[in-house]
Amino acid sequence: MTPAVAKNYHEVKLTANINDDCQGSSMDLIKTLADAQINPTDRQVVWLYDTWRSENYGDRFDKGVCEILETKKPLYEKSGGILEISNNPLCIVIITPLMMRAHKMPFSKDIVFVDSTGSCDQSGSCITFFFFCSF
């Protein structure tokens, strides 16, 4: 959910709560939507989103992504997956247990489809997906 969608959702919920009271006038609605203590401003919502995103997914730089993935590496390995990170040049490989199982099949080990069309993040990194046949 983007910050704009989150703000819109919050405003819809506020509007519904005021209309449910049946005593709320349109002036009450306007006052509620204008009160930044009840309905945060766009700037406040974006700040909250950026703070949340930074804490959960790292900064929008290669270093931040690598730090977050390093903390998640034991989780991938515990579930039977693989997470490898190379910093120079930046290359991150994530292989899930399902991907490993599908690729071990004799008819799918030589089939690969690579897709990196339009998957670029804010740091300028390109995300490339490798798809394997797994009938």
Side-chain angles (χ1 to χ4, degrees), residues 78-126:
K78 182 179 178 184
S79 68
I82 297 172
L83 173 61
E84 294 293 330
I85 301 170
S86 170
N87 288 316
N88 195 9
L90 178 64
C91 182
I92 301 169
V93 177
I94 301 173
I95 303 173
T96 65
L98 178 64
M99 296 163 87
M100 291 172 64
R101 188 174 74 223
H103 195 62
K104 289 179 182 175
M105 296 178 182
F107 52 82
S108 66
K109 67 180 181 180
D110 296 327
I111 302 171
V112 178
F113 174 75
V114 180
D115 179 24
S116 62
T117 59
S119 296
C120 201
D121 65 5
Q122 285 92 354
S123 68
S125 301
C126 182

Side-chain angles (χ1 to χ4, degrees), residues 1-3 6 44-60 68 72:
M1 184 180 292
T2 64
Q44 291 168 324
V45 173
V46 169
W47 180 85
L48 285 170
Y49 176 79
D50 287 341
T51 302
W52 169 84
R53 187 190 179 288
S54 179
E55 289 175 2
N56 291 285
Y57 298 106
D59 293 328
R60 296 179 190 240
I68 293 293
K72 296 184 185 275

